[in-house]
Amino acid sequence: HQSAFVLQEEDRMMLQNEAAAYEMALFNALPILNREDVFIELGNRFTFYSATDRVYWSPRLNIRYDYHQQAYLKGAFTRANQFVREFVYNNRLGQSLTFFTLSNQDEFPVGHSNNYMLGNHWARGPWSLDLELYKKDFWGLIEYARLFQGFDPEEINPGRQREYAIFNGKGNTHGLDVMLSLNRTNYQGWLSYTWSKTLHEFRAIYRGAAFPAQDDRRHQINWVNHYHWKALDLSATYVMASGRPFLD
């Protein structure tokens, strides 16, 4: 990986970074129980990241239990590590820019998350219904924010205080996915609904209280249709999502 950026407001240098790093990974997975009605697989991923000179491990677990000929329960756990990080820079004029940077041992930490899923799948004829509950806890969030907000006290102009800081925090996401699908000879389609909630928390921002993340989407509905007729493939998709919070 390679990343480089320079943030400058007028004549003042705000933040600059130039870095290069590589990853080396080893992955293994082993079915520890594989019966007709129960399947359990345990895996792990070991990743060496050169910028921190450390090895990070990412265990994962998959479980499936067929309690009926056309229905089964499923569950999963995964720990993930993120070495290429993303942060948003909002300048004093209200413009937002997104940057990518590489993790280091200082202001840009390696991101970690624990991901959990528990669900049920049911099928009958061409119909199927899938339900998933999920939860994600993550650490090493990055916010690059201006310390003094608001307008200039003497004139109605953007504030001249240009003191920024990098904040590190944590967060969590939990939600529900429901999908009803129909699969026939010439037609495939599904209707899905997602409810989710994503909160971020920084000790030095908002007095440590959790607040909705910029990518928080409480509701989303997807309706996807695909029809095959002779040499033609026809598709129609409809997506409706609730708005997202506005942050500075």
Side-chain angles (χ1 to χ4, degrees):
H1 307 295
Q2 291 182 329
S3 70
F5 62 84
V6 175
L7 300 183
Q8 181 174 334
E9 285 190 0
E10 297 160 359
D11 60 341
R12 181 170 181 177
M13 183 68 66
M14 311 303 298
L15 184 68
Q16 59 180 334
N17 179 272
E18 183 174 359
Y22 65 88
E23 298 176 42
M24 296 179 62
L26 174 67
F27 175 80
N28 65 305
L30 177 67
I32 58 177
L33 183 60
N34 190 5
R35 300 190 327 201
E36 185 177 350
D37 58 341
V38 179
F39 175 76
I40 301 177
E41 182 183 61
L42 185 63
N44 204 349
R45 180 186 179 94
F46 299 92
T47 304
F48 172 78
Y49 181 57
S50 64
T52 58
D53 198 27
R54 286 183 52 190
V55 175
Y56 299 85
W57 66 296
S58 304
R60 54 200 63 197
L61 174 69
N62 290 312
I63 301 175
R64 171 170 167 162
Y65 170 56
D66 296 335
Y67 63 90
H68 188 270
Q69 187 176 3
Q70 294 181 309
Y72 59 85
L73 295 173
K74 55 183 176 178
F77 166 79
T78 303
R79 179 173 176 84
N81 300 290
Q82 188 179 46
F83 307 108
V84 180
R85 308 306 310 279
E86 178 184 19
F87 71 95
V88 177
Y89 161 64
N90 295 292
N91 64 21
R92 67 188 186 94
L93 301 178
Q95 299 167 316
S96 296
L97 300 173
T98 301
F99 289 85
F100 289 97
T101 184
L102 299 184
S103 299
N104 53 37
Q105 292 181 324
D106 301 319
E107 64 268 23
F108 302 116
V110 175
H112 308 283
S113 69
N114 291 339
N115 310 279
Y116 309 87
M117 185 274 292
L118 182 65
N120 182 79
H121 184 86
W122 173 86
R124 184 171 184 178
W127 295 94
S128 65
L129 178 66
D130 194 84
L131 172 69
E132 287 189 359
L133 294 168
Y134 59 88
K135 186 176 186 294
K136 178 179 180 180
D137 299 316
F138 38 88
W139 299 266
L141 292 176
I142 299 172
E143 281 286 349
Y144 183 65
R146 191 156 55 101
L147 301 182
F148 303 96
Q149 304 293 339
F151 291 98
D152 191 294
E154 298 178 0
E155 302 179 13
I156 305 300
N157 291 320
R160 298 180 182 179
Q161 296 281 359
R162 290 182 290 173
E163 298 298 329
Y164 288 77
I166 298 174
F167 301 92
N168 295 319
K170 60 183 180 179
N172 64 81
T173 296
H174 56 274
L176 166 70
D177 281 340
V178 181
M179 184 176 71
L180 177 66
S181 61
L182 175 63
N183 192 343
R184 292 188 176 275
T185 303
N186 293 330
Y187 172 81
Q188 296 86 36
W190 63 85
L191 178 67
S192 66
Y193 168 73
T194 297
W195 178 89
S196 66
K197 184 177 182 180
T198 301
L199 299 177
H200 287 178
E201 181 180 332
F202 297 83
R203 184 176 58 86
I205 296 179
Y206 200 40
R207 298 181 179 179
F211 56 88
Q214 284 187 334
D215 56 355
D216 181 83
R217 293 289 192 279
R218 296 298 168 92
H219 306 278
Q220 180 166 303
I221 296 176
N222 294 272
W223 187 22
V224 180
N225 302 270
H226 178 264
Y227 184 78
H228 178 75
W229 180 69
K230 295 184 178 180
L232 294 177
D233 286 307
L234 308 174
S235 63
T237 302
Y238 176 77
V239 179
M240 184 191 73
S242 58
R244 68 177 183 176
F246 171 78
L247 300 182
D248 187 1

